[in-house]
Amino acid sequence: MEIAILLIFVFLIGLIIFLLRKNHALKKDIYDFTHKLDKSLNILLNGRKLDNSICEQDDLWGTVYDKLYRISNLHTRKNQEVTSEKENLKELVSDISHQIKTPLSNIKLYLEMLTDETALAENTETIEKMGKQVGKLDFLFQSMIKMSRLETGTIKIQKKRNAISDTLAAAIGAAIPKADKKNIQIHVEYDETHRLNHDIKWTGEAIFNILDNAVKYTESGGFIWISVEQGEIFTKISIKDTGKGIPLERHGTIFNRFYREPEVHDNEGVGIGLYLAREIVSMQNGYIEVQSEVGKGSIFNIYLPN
């Protein structure tokens, strides 16, 4: 009996020692875990990146650290996106400032001329010039509104199966006045029964922007050809002109927002048309390609899914 009590007593003593050691080890683990967590959080708060080697540990700390590491990467990407957006906004403001500067300067100059009583006979011509500058500003603001509405998703592309002839008619009708002034002939070839799954309004806007560009950079008496060809997957809308052509190294940059070629910087325009055209076509899962050579005109091909 005494031996049994002694054994129980020894067992209890051993259990107590085991529990105390276990408790000590647990406290140490908790302390180490807290220390590591605090150190990692301080690294994140200081804007530094965590080391990914600890993520491979197969324990509780490794699991928690892996999540912290992913949060660190997410935070880094978000910071990069914010920085990129700030840079884009900075460039946009700079571009807008540059585009507005010239018309405003001209308007101020014309106003000074109007206030000169010795130049009353020239006031009519000055007013006409002011009207053109105001028109440029209005065109810039309208283009910027369209651009911002497209980029922010305010405008939703609504594709329906409609006749491509209606879309072309609207785009060509808007381009004809400027073409007539320069005696530029526009030839069109397409199947009037051809129907395409597209947004009439915005696709017409994209086609007009390319047409307007062709008219702008084609000499008086030139030609523009428009054709529509249906393929197995895409319908191709081609716009060919006899304009000045585009150097090969600029084929990609002409679609950038506010891009103007140096040699035509004084021509009418703000450099948004082709950018909008590409955005509109891209939003319909299509794309635009350009074929051009200096002195031999240009061909813009719009591809839209059937």
Side-chain angles (χ1 to χ4, degrees), residues 54-98:
I54 302 176
C55 298
E56 299 175 359
Q57 294 182 9
D58 189 18
D59 54 14
L60 177 61
W61 171 239
T63 302
V64 173
Y65 190 88
D66 177 64
K67 292 181 180 179
L68 288 174
Y69 180 75
R70 282 187 282 172
I71 292 174
S72 172
N73 286 341
L74 181 63
H75 180 68
T76 301
R77 286 198 299 270
K78 289 295 181 183
N79 282 340
Q80 290 173 346
E81 290 174 4
V82 170
T83 302
S84 177
E85 287 176 0
K86 286 182 179 179
E87 287 298 319
N88 290 336
L89 181 59
K90 184 179 178 181
E91 291 179 8
L92 179 59
V93 171
S94 176
D95 288 336
I96 293 171
S97 175
H98 176 74

mmCIF file of all heavy atoms in Angstrom, residues 54-98:
data_model
loop_
_atom_site.group_PDB
_atom_site.id
_atom_site.type_symbol
_atom_site.label_atom_id
_atom_site.label_comp_id
_atom_site.label_asym_id
_atom_site.label_seq_id
_atom_site.Cartn_x
_atom_site.Cartn_y
_atom_site.Cartn_z
ATOM 1 N N ILE A 54 11.673 32.390 -44.836
ATOM 2 C CA ILE A 54 10.987 31.839 -43.656
ATOM 3 C C ILE A 54 9.659 31.200 -44.044
ATOM 4 O O ILE A 54 9.134 30.349 -43.318
ATOM 5 C CB ILE A 54 10.770 32.958 -42.608
ATOM 6 C CG1 ILE A 54 12.124 33.555 -42.217
ATOM 7 C CG2 ILE A 54 10.054 32.446 -41.378
ATOM 8 C CD1 ILE A 54 12.021 34.722 -41.259
ATOM 9 N N CYS A 55 9.105 31.597 -45.198
ATOM 10 C CA CYS A 55 7.801 31.065 -45.622
ATOM 11 C C CYS A 55 7.828 29.551 -45.794
ATOM 12 O O CYS A 55 6.775 28.901 -45.789
ATOM 13 C CB CYS A 55 7.369 31.719 -46.935
ATOM 14 S SG CYS A 55 7.152 33.507 -46.822
ATOM 15 N N GLU A 56 9.038 28.986 -45.960
ATOM 16 C CA GLU A 56 9.151 27.549 -46.213
ATOM 17 C C GLU A 56 9.072 26.715 -44.935
ATOM 18 O O GLU A 56 8.993 25.492 -44.988
ATOM 19 C CB GLU A 56 10.471 27.270 -46.944
ATOM 20 C CG GLU A 56 10.564 27.977 -48.297
ATOM 21 C CD GLU A 56 11.918 27.782 -48.950
ATOM 22 O OE1 GLU A 56 12.771 27.106 -48.329
ATOM 23 O OE2 GLU A 56 12.128 28.296 -50.069
ATOM 24 N N GLN A 57 9.105 27.353 -43.750
ATOM 25 C CA GLN A 57 9.031 26.618 -42.486
ATOM 26 C C GLN A 57 7.634 26.021 -42.303
ATOM 27 O O GLN A 57 6.635 26.711 -42.476
ATOM 28 C CB GLN A 57 9.357 27.552 -41.307
ATOM 29 C CG GLN A 57 10.791 28.060 -41.303
ATOM 30 C CD GLN A 57 11.083 28.944 -40.105
ATOM 31 O OE1 GLN A 57 10.261 29.035 -39.194
ATOM 32 N NE2 GLN A 57 12.239 29.574 -40.103
ATOM 33 N N ASP A 58 7.598 24.743 -41.961
ATOM 34 C CA ASP A 58 6.322 24.034 -41.809
ATOM 35 C C ASP A 58 5.868 24.065 -40.357
ATOM 36 O O ASP A 58 5.848 23.039 -39.664
ATOM 37 C CB ASP A 58 6.477 22.591 -42.314
ATOM 38 C CG ASP A 58 5.127 21.879 -42.382
ATOM 39 O OD1 ASP A 58 4.091 22.584 -42.369
ATOM 40 O OD2 ASP A 58 5.114 20.637 -42.435
ATOM 41 N N ASP A 59 5.533 25.246 -39.849
ATOM 42 C CA ASP A 59 5.019 25.386 -38.492
ATOM 43 C C ASP A 59 4.078 26.587 -38.460
ATOM 44 O O ASP A 59 3.814 27.212 -39.492
ATOM 45 C CB ASP A 59 6.165 25.551 -37.484
ATOM 46 C CG ASP A 59 7.109 26.698 -37.837
ATOM 47 O OD1 ASP A 59 6.737 27.524 -38.706
ATOM 48 O OD2 ASP A 59 8.208 26.777 -37.274
ATOM 49 N N LEU A 60 3.558 26.908 -37.264
ATOM 50 C CA LEU A 60 2.604 28.005 -37.134
ATOM 51 C C LEU A 60 3.223 29.329 -37.576
ATOM 52 O O LEU A 60 2.589 30.108 -38.294
ATOM 53 C CB LEU A 60 2.118 28.113 -35.684
ATOM 54 C CG LEU A 60 1.155 29.275 -35.383
ATOM 55 C CD1 LEU A 60 -0.115 29.147 -36.205
ATOM 56 C CD2 LEU A 60 0.830 29.325 -33.889
ATOM 57 N N TRP A 61 4.467 29.589 -37.121
ATOM 58 C CA TRP A 61 5.111 30.839 -37.492
ATOM 59 C C TRP A 61 5.331 30.934 -39.001
ATOM 60 O O TRP A 61 5.158 31.986 -39.618
ATOM 61 C CB TRP A 61 6.436 31.007 -36.754
ATOM 62 C CG TRP A 61 7.240 32.177 -37.264
ATOM 63 C CD1 TRP A 61 8.486 32.160 -37.791
ATOM 64 C CD2 TRP A 61 6.827 33.546 -37.287
ATOM 65 N NE1 TRP A 61 8.886 33.415 -38.150
ATOM 66 C CE2 TRP A 61 7.880 34.301 -37.854
ATOM 67 C CE3 TRP A 61 5.664 34.209 -36.897
ATOM 68 C CZ2 TRP A 61 7.811 35.678 -38.036
ATOM 69 C CZ3 TRP A 61 5.597 35.583 -37.068
ATOM 70 C CH2 TRP A 61 6.658 36.308 -37.633
ATOM 71 N N GLY A 62 5.699 29.806 -39.623
ATOM 72 C CA GLY A 62 5.879 29.784 -41.071
ATOM 73 C C GLY A 62 4.594 30.123 -41.801
ATOM 74 O O GLY A 62 4.590 30.855 -42.797
ATOM 75 N N THR A 63 3.449 29.603 -41.292
ATOM 76 C CA THR A 63 2.141 29.884 -41.907
ATOM 77 C C THR A 63 1.773 31.362 -41.777
ATOM 78 O O THR A 63 1.341 32.004 -42.742
ATOM 79 C CB THR A 63 1.052 29.022 -41.251
ATOM 80 O OG1 THR A 63 1.396 27.643 -41.390
ATOM 81 C CG2 THR A 63 -0.293 29.274 -41.916
ATOM 82 N N VAL A 64 1.954 31.903 -40.553
ATOM 83 C CA VAL A 64 1.641 33.316 -40.312
ATOM 84 C C VAL A 64 2.574 34.211 -41.122
ATOM 85 O O VAL A 64 2.135 35.200 -41.724
ATOM 86 C CB VAL A 64 1.759 33.644 -38.803
ATOM 87 C CG1 VAL A 64 1.614 35.148 -38.565
ATOM 88 C CG2 VAL A 64 0.695 32.887 -38.015
ATOM 89 N N TYR A 65 3.849 33.851 -41.167
ATOM 90 C CA TYR A 65 4.824 34.660 -41.888
ATOM 91 C C TYR A 65 4.521 34.674 -43.394
ATOM 92 O O TYR A 65 4.708 35.694 -44.070
ATOM 93 C CB TYR A 65 6.233 34.140 -41.637
ATOM 94 C CG TYR A 65 7.320 35.056 -42.155
ATOM 95 C CD1 TYR A 65 7.818 36.087 -41.349
ATOM 96 C CD2 TYR A 65 7.843 34.903 -43.430
ATOM 97 C CE1 TYR A 65 8.805 36.938 -41.815
ATOM 98 C CE2 TYR A 65 8.830 35.750 -43.901
ATOM 99 C CZ TYR A 65 9.310 36.765 -43.099
ATOM 100 O OH TYR A 65 10.280 37.612 -43.563
ATOM 101 N N ASP A 66 4.060 33.525 -43.889
ATOM 102 C CA ASP A 66 3.707 33.447 -45.310
ATOM 103 C C ASP A 66 2.602 34.451 -45.640
ATOM 104 O O ASP A 66 2.641 35.113 -46.687
ATOM 105 C CB ASP A 66 3.260 32.024 -45.657
ATOM 106 C CG ASP A 66 2.810 31.899 -47.103
ATOM 107 O OD1 ASP A 66 3.644 32.100 -48.007
ATOM 108 O OD2 ASP A 66 1.618 31.610 -47.337
ATOM 109 N N LYS A 67 1.612 34.565 -44.746
ATOM 110 C CA LYS A 67 0.532 35.529 -44.971
ATOM 111 C C LYS A 67 1.042 36.966 -44.866
ATOM 112 O O LYS A 67 0.642 37.836 -45.653
ATOM 113 C CB LYS A 67 -0.592 35.278 -43.966
ATOM 114 C CG LYS A 67 -1.315 33.949 -44.197
ATOM 115 C CD LYS A 67 -2.431 33.740 -43.196
ATOM 116 C CE LYS A 67 -3.147 32.406 -43.455
ATOM 117 N NZ LYS A 67 -4.229 32.151 -42.492
ATOM 118 N N LEU A 68 1.939 37.200 -43.904
ATOM 119 C CA LEU A 68 2.539 38.533 -43.774
ATOM 120 C C LEU A 68 3.346 38.886 -45.028
ATOM 121 O O LEU A 68 3.325 40.030 -45.497
ATOM 122 C CB LEU A 68 3.442 38.597 -42.545
ATOM 123 C CG LEU A 68 2.753 38.612 -41.180
ATOM 124 C CD1 LEU A 68 3.797 38.515 -40.067
ATOM 125 C CD2 LEU A 68 1.923 39.878 -41.003
ATOM 126 N N TYR A 69 4.048 37.884 -45.556
ATOM 127 C CA TYR A 69 4.856 38.102 -46.756
ATOM 128 C C TYR A 69 3.975 38.466 -47.948
ATOM 129 O O TYR A 69 4.302 39.356 -48.737
ATOM 130 C CB TYR A 69 5.680 36.839 -47.059
ATOM 131 C CG TYR A 69 6.545 36.958 -48.290
ATOM 132 C CD1 TYR A 69 7.713 37.717 -48.272
ATOM 133 C CD2 TYR A 69 6.185 36.303 -49.467
ATOM 134 C CE1 TYR A 69 8.510 37.824 -49.403
ATOM 135 C CE2 TYR A 69 6.975 36.415 -50.601
ATOM 136 C CZ TYR A 69 8.131 37.171 -50.569
ATOM 137 O OH TYR A 69 8.908 37.289 -51.692
ATOM 138 N N ARG A 70 2.829 37.766 -48.069
ATOM 139 C CA ARG A 70 1.905 38.072 -49.164
ATOM 140 C C ARG A 70 1.304 39.465 -49.009
ATOM 141 O O ARG A 70 1.101 40.190 -49.982
ATOM 142 C CB ARG A 70 0.819 37.010 -49.248
ATOM 143 C CG ARG A 70 1.293 35.713 -49.920
ATOM 144 C CD ARG A 70 0.174 34.741 -50.134
ATOM 145 N NE ARG A 70 -0.167 34.035 -48.901
ATOM 146 C CZ ARG A 70 -1.208 33.229 -48.775
ATOM 147 N NH1 ARG A 70 -2.033 33.053 -49.790
ATOM 148 N NH2 ARG A 70 -1.441 32.610 -47.632
ATOM 149 N N ILE A 71 0.996 39.836 -47.756
ATOM 150 C CA ILE A 71 0.495 41.190 -47.492
ATOM 151 C C ILE A 71 1.562 42.221 -47.862
ATOM 152 O O ILE A 71 1.253 43.273 -48.430
ATOM 153 C CB ILE A 71 0.093 41.338 -46.005
ATOM 154 C CG1 ILE A 71 -1.143 40.486 -45.704
ATOM 155 C CG2 ILE A 71 -0.176 42.803 -45.655
ATOM 156 C CD1 ILE A 71 -1.524 40.446 -44.231
ATOM 157 N N SER A 72 2.823 41.897 -47.543
ATOM 158 C CA SER A 72 3.931 42.787 -47.887
ATOM 159 C C SER A 72 4.018 42.995 -49.393
ATOM 160 O O SER A 72 4.182 44.119 -49.877
ATOM 161 C CB SER A 72 5.241 42.206 -47.361
ATOM 162 O OG SER A 72 6.346 42.944 -47.831
ATOM 163 N N ASN A 73 3.906 41.897 -50.165
ATOM 164 C CA ASN A 73 3.946 41.993 -51.626
ATOM 165 C C ASN A 73 2.771 42.793 -52.164
ATOM 166 O O ASN A 73 2.919 43.602 -53.089
ATOM 167 C CB ASN A 73 3.945 40.600 -52.250
ATOM 168 C CG ASN A 73 5.287 39.903 -52.105
ATOM 169 O OD1 ASN A 73 6.308 40.554 -51.868
ATOM 170 N ND2 ASN A 73 5.301 38.594 -52.229
ATOM 171 N N LEU A 74 1.591 42.543 -51.576
ATOM 172 C CA LEU A 74 0.394 43.273 -52.008
ATOM 173 C C LEU A 74 0.560 44.770 -51.749
ATOM 174 O O LEU A 74 0.231 45.606 -52.601
ATOM 175 C CB LEU A 74 -0.831 42.739 -51.257
ATOM 176 C CG LEU A 74 -2.185 43.386 -51.610
ATOM 177 C CD1 LEU A 74 -2.532 43.136 -53.070
ATOM 178 C CD2 LEU A 74 -3.288 42.823 -50.708
ATOM 179 N N HIS A 75 1.100 45.087 -50.575
ATOM 180 C CA HIS A 75 1.327 46.485 -50.211
ATOM 181 C C HIS A 75 2.339 47.137 -51.160
ATOM 182 O O HIS A 75 2.157 48.288 -51.587
ATOM 183 C CB HIS A 75 1.846 46.555 -48.771
ATOM 184 C CG HIS A 75 2.111 47.945 -48.278
ATOM 185 N ND1 HIS A 75 1.105 48.850 -48.054
ATOM 186 C CD2 HIS A 75 3.277 48.580 -47.982
ATOM 187 C CE1 HIS A 75 1.633 49.996 -47.635
ATOM 188 N NE2 HIS A 75 2.946 49.845 -47.582
ATOM 189 N N THR A 76 3.383 46.384 -51.513
ATOM 190 C CA THR A 76 4.401 46.903 -52.437
ATOM 191 C C THR A 76 3.805 47.179 -53.808
ATOM 192 O O THR A 76 4.061 48.223 -54.420
ATOM 193 C CB THR A 76 5.564 45.897 -52.575
ATOM 194 O OG1 THR A 76 6.141 45.662 -51.292
ATOM 195 C CG2 THR A 76 6.624 46.429 -53.525
ATOM 196 N N ARG A 77 2.978 46.223 -54.301
ATOM 197 C CA ARG A 77 2.348 46.412 -55.609
ATOM 198 C C ARG A 77 1.404 47.607 -55.601
ATOM 199 O O ARG A 77 1.357 48.379 -56.556
ATOM 200 C CB ARG A 77 1.598 45.144 -56.024
ATOM 201 C CG ARG A 77 2.501 44.008 -56.472
ATOM 202 C CD ARG A 77 1.723 42.968 -57.258
ATOM 203 N NE ARG A 77 0.667 42.368 -56.460
ATOM 204 C CZ ARG A 77 0.819 41.284 -55.718
ATOM 205 N NH1 ARG A 77 2.004 40.693 -55.653
ATOM 206 N NH2 ARG A 77 -0.198 40.783 -55.021
ATOM 207 N N LYS A 78 0.650 47.751 -54.499
ATOM 208 C CA LYS A 78 -0.268 48.877 -54.395
ATOM 209 C C LYS A 78 0.498 50.200 -54.408
ATOM 210 O O LYS A 78 0.069 51.172 -55.048
ATOM 211 C CB LYS A 78 -1.108 48.765 -53.123
ATOM 212 C CG LYS A 78 -2.152 47.655 -53.144
ATOM 213 C CD LYS A 78 -3.219 47.925 -54.192
ATOM 214 C CE LYS A 78 -4.285 46.821 -54.188
ATOM 215 N NZ LYS A 78 -5.297 47.040 -55.266
ATOM 216 N N ASN A 79 1.613 50.237 -53.701
ATOM 217 C CA ASN A 79 2.430 51.448 -53.685
ATOM 218 C C ASN A 79 2.964 51.767 -55.079
ATOM 219 O O ASN A 79 3.008 52.927 -55.492
ATOM 220 C CB ASN A 79 3.602 51.299 -52.713
ATOM 221 C CG ASN A 79 3.177 51.485 -51.264
ATOM 222 O OD1 ASN A 79 2.133 52.066 -50.983
ATOM 223 N ND2 ASN A 79 3.985 50.990 -50.339
ATOM 224 N N GLN A 80 3.383 50.710 -55.791
ATOM 225 C CA GLN A 80 3.879 50.909 -57.152
ATOM 226 C C GLN A 80 2.772 51.425 -58.066
ATOM 227 O O GLN A 80 3.001 52.300 -58.909
ATOM 228 C CB GLN A 80 4.448 49.600 -57.699
ATOM 229 C CG GLN A 80 5.742 49.172 -57.034
ATOM 230 C CD GLN A 80 6.201 47.791 -57.464
ATOM 231 O OE1 GLN A 80 5.442 47.022 -58.076
ATOM 232 N NE2 GLN A 80 7.443 47.457 -57.143
ATOM 233 N N GLU A 81 1.547 50.873 -57.891
ATOM 234 C CA GLU A 81 0.421 51.326 -58.695
ATOM 235 C C GLU A 81 0.080 52.783 -58.404
ATOM 236 O O GLU A 81 -0.195 53.557 -59.318
ATOM 237 C CB GLU A 81 -0.811 50.444 -58.439
ATOM 238 C CG GLU A 81 -0.684 49.040 -58.997
ATOM 239 C CD GLU A 81 -1.853 48.149 -58.593
ATOM 240 O OE1 GLU A 81 -2.785 48.663 -57.938
ATOM 241 O OE2 GLU A 81 -1.831 46.955 -58.940
ATOM 242 N N VAL A 82 0.094 53.137 -57.121
ATOM 243 C CA VAL A 82 -0.195 54.527 -56.735
ATOM 244 C C VAL A 82 0.856 55.467 -57.311
ATOM 245 O O VAL A 82 0.532 56.529 -57.850
ATOM 246 C CB VAL A 82 -0.244 54.661 -55.191
ATOM 247 C CG1 VAL A 82 -0.288 56.130 -54.787
ATOM 248 C CG2 VAL A 82 -1.458 53.938 -54.636
ATOM 249 N N THR A 83 2.128 55.050 -57.224
ATOM 250 C CA THR A 83 3.210 55.871 -57.777
ATOM 251 C C THR A 83 3.050 56.030 -59.282
ATOM 252 O O THR A 83 3.223 57.132 -59.826
ATOM 253 C CB THR A 83 4.581 55.231 -57.477
ATOM 254 O OG1 THR A 83 4.731 55.082 -56.064
ATOM 255 C CG2 THR A 83 5.708 56.090 -58.021
ATOM 256 N N SER A 84 2.701 54.907 -59.943
ATOM 257 C CA SER A 84 2.500 54.956 -61.400
ATOM 258 C C SER A 84 1.333 55.858 -61.770
ATOM 259 O O SER A 84 1.403 56.642 -62.722
ATOM 260 C CB SER A 84 2.260 53.534 -61.928
ATOM 261 O OG SER A 84 1.998 53.559 -63.313
ATOM 262 N N GLU A 85 0.238 55.761 -60.992
ATOM 263 C CA GLU A 85 -0.925 56.605 -61.257
ATOM 264 C C GLU A 85 -0.600 58.076 -61.056
ATOM 265 O O GLU A 85 -1.067 58.942 -61.800
ATOM 266 C CB GLU A 85 -2.091 56.191 -60.346
ATOM 267 C CG GLU A 85 -2.732 54.863 -60.748
ATOM 268 C CD GLU A 85 -3.815 54.420 -59.783
ATOM 269 O OE1 GLU A 85 -4.063 55.163 -58.809
ATOM 270 O OE2 GLU A 85 -4.403 53.349 -60.010
ATOM 271 N N LYS A 86 0.214 58.364 -60.038
ATOM 272 C CA LYS A 86 0.620 59.754 -59.798
ATOM 273 C C LYS A 86 1.441 60.289 -60.959
ATOM 274 O O LYS A 86 1.277 61.434 -61.386
ATOM 275 C CB LYS A 86 1.422 59.848 -58.497
ATOM 276 C CG LYS A 86 0.587 59.733 -57.234
ATOM 277 C CD LYS A 86 1.445 59.872 -55.986
ATOM 278 C CE LYS A 86 0.601 59.792 -54.720
ATOM 279 N NZ LYS A 86 1.438 59.906 -53.495
ATOM 280 N N GLU A 87 2.337 59.419 -61.477
ATOM 281 C CA GLU A 87 3.157 59.833 -62.609
ATOM 282 C C GLU A 87 2.296 60.056 -63.848
ATOM 283 O O GLU A 87 2.497 61.019 -64.595
ATOM 284 C CB GLU A 87 4.233 58.778 -62.902
ATOM 285 C CG GLU A 87 5.359 58.734 -61.885
ATOM 286 C CD GLU A 87 6.136 60.031 -61.816
ATOM 287 O OE1 GLU A 87 6.394 60.618 -62.886
ATOM 288 O OE2 GLU A 87 6.469 60.474 -60.699
ATOM 289 N N ASN A 88 1.327 59.145 -64.059
ATOM 290 C CA ASN A 88 0.420 59.298 -65.204
ATOM 291 C C ASN A 88 -0.401 60.574 -65.091
ATOM 292 O O ASN A 88 -0.633 61.284 -66.074
ATOM 293 C CB ASN A 88 -0.514 58.088 -65.313
ATOM 294 C CG ASN A 88 0.218 56.832 -65.743
ATOM 295 O OD1 ASN A 88 1.273 56.914 -66.373
ATOM 296 N ND2 ASN A 88 -0.328 55.677 -65.412
ATOM 297 N N LEU A 89 -0.870 60.854 -63.863
ATOM 298 C CA LEU A 89 -1.655 62.065 -63.639
ATOM 299 C C LEU A 89 -0.793 63.303 -63.878
ATOM 300 O O LEU A 89 -1.264 64.286 -64.467
ATOM 301 C CB LEU A 89 -2.204 62.068 -62.211
ATOM 302 C CG LEU A 89 -3.085 63.266 -61.822
ATOM 303 C CD1 LEU A 89 -4.302 63.363 -62.726
ATOM 304 C CD2 LEU A 89 -3.518 63.164 -60.363
ATOM 305 N N LYS A 90 0.465 63.219 -63.414
ATOM 306 C CA LYS A 90 1.382 64.332 -63.621
ATOM 307 C C LYS A 90 1.600 64.587 -65.112
ATOM 308 O O LYS A 90 1.591 65.743 -65.573
ATOM 309 C CB LYS A 90 2.713 64.017 -62.938
ATOM 310 C CG LYS A 90 3.729 65.135 -63.004
ATOM 311 C CD LYS A 90 5.001 64.728 -62.271
ATOM 312 C CE LYS A 90 6.064 65.821 -62.367
ATOM 313 N NZ LYS A 90 7.318 65.412 -61.678
ATOM 314 N N GLU A 91 1.791 63.503 -65.878
ATOM 315 C CA GLU A 91 1.974 63.634 -67.327
ATOM 316 C C GLU A 91 0.715 64.166 -67.985
ATOM 317 O O GLU A 91 0.784 64.990 -68.900
ATOM 318 C CB GLU A 91 2.347 62.274 -67.925
ATOM 319 C CG GLU A 91 3.732 61.785 -67.540
ATOM 320 C CD GLU A 91 4.048 60.429 -68.128
ATOM 321 O OE1 GLU A 91 3.235 59.952 -68.957
ATOM 322 O OE2 GLU A 91 5.078 59.849 -67.768
ATOM 323 N N LEU A 92 -0.451 63.697 -67.510
ATOM 324 C CA LEU A 92 -1.715 64.135 -68.085
ATOM 325 C C LEU A 92 -1.917 65.633 -67.869
ATOM 326 O O LEU A 92 -2.293 66.356 -68.787
ATOM 327 C CB LEU A 92 -2.879 63.355 -67.454
ATOM 328 C CG LEU A 92 -4.293 63.719 -67.926
ATOM 329 C CD1 LEU A 92 -4.420 63.522 -69.425
ATOM 330 C CD2 LEU A 92 -5.335 62.892 -67.190
ATOM 331 N N VAL A 93 -1.658 66.080 -66.645
ATOM 332 C CA VAL A 93 -1.800 67.511 -66.345
ATOM 333 C C VAL A 93 -0.840 68.326 -67.205
ATOM 334 O O VAL A 93 -1.195 69.397 -67.716
ATOM 335 C CB VAL A 93 -1.547 67.769 -64.848
ATOM 336 C CG1 VAL A 93 -1.470 69.268 -64.562
ATOM 337 C CG2 VAL A 93 -2.640 67.143 -64.002
ATOM 338 N N SER A 94 0.383 67.808 -67.369
ATOM 339 C CA SER A 94 1.376 68.495 -68.194
ATOM 340 C C SER A 94 0.909 68.574 -69.641
ATOM 341 O O SER A 94 1.032 69.618 -70.293
ATOM 342 C CB SER A 94 2.715 67.766 -68.104
ATOM 343 O OG SER A 94 3.668 68.348 -68.968
ATOM 344 N N ASP A 95 0.370 67.454 -70.154
ATOM 345 C CA ASP A 95 -0.134 67.425 -71.530
ATOM 346 C C ASP A 95 -1.289 68.400 -71.725
ATOM 347 O O ASP A 95 -1.352 69.130 -72.712
ATOM 348 C CB ASP A 95 -0.584 66.005 -71.906
ATOM 349 C CG ASP A 95 0.581 65.061 -72.094
ATOM 350 O OD1 ASP A 95 1.686 65.552 -72.391
ATOM 351 O OD2 ASP A 95 0.401 63.845 -71.920
ATOM 352 N N ILE A 96 -2.230 68.388 -70.764
ATOM 353 C CA ILE A 96 -3.387 69.276 -70.850
ATOM 354 C C ILE A 96 -2.937 70.735 -70.825
ATOM 355 O O ILE A 96 -3.414 71.568 -71.602
ATOM 356 C CB ILE A 96 -4.374 68.999 -69.702
ATOM 357 C CG1 ILE A 96 -4.992 67.605 -69.872
ATOM 358 C CG2 ILE A 96 -5.472 70.058 -69.653
ATOM 359 C CD1 ILE A 96 -5.809 67.165 -68.674
ATOM 360 N N SER A 97 -1.989 71.025 -69.932
ATOM 361 C CA SER A 97 -1.467 72.385 -69.824
ATOM 362 C C SER A 97 -0.840 72.836 -71.136
ATOM 363 O O SER A 97 -1.051 73.970 -71.587
ATOM 364 C CB SER A 97 -0.427 72.448 -68.694
ATOM 365 O OG SER A 97 0.185 73.705 -68.639
ATOM 366 N N HIS A 98 -0.089 71.919 -71.770
ATOM 367 C CA HIS A 98 0.555 72.240 -73.041
ATOM 368 C C HIS A 98 -0.478 72.464 -74.141
ATOM 369 O O HIS A 98 -0.347 73.388 -74.952
ATOM 370 C CB HIS A 98 1.496 71.094 -73.433
ATOM 371 C CG HIS A 98 2.127 71.296 -74.781
ATOM 372 N ND1 HIS A 98 3.130 72.214 -75.009
ATOM 373 C CD2 HIS A 98 1.875 70.701 -75.975
ATOM 374 C CE1 HIS A 98 3.478 72.172 -76.287
ATOM 375 N NE2 HIS A 98 2.736 71.267 -76.894
#
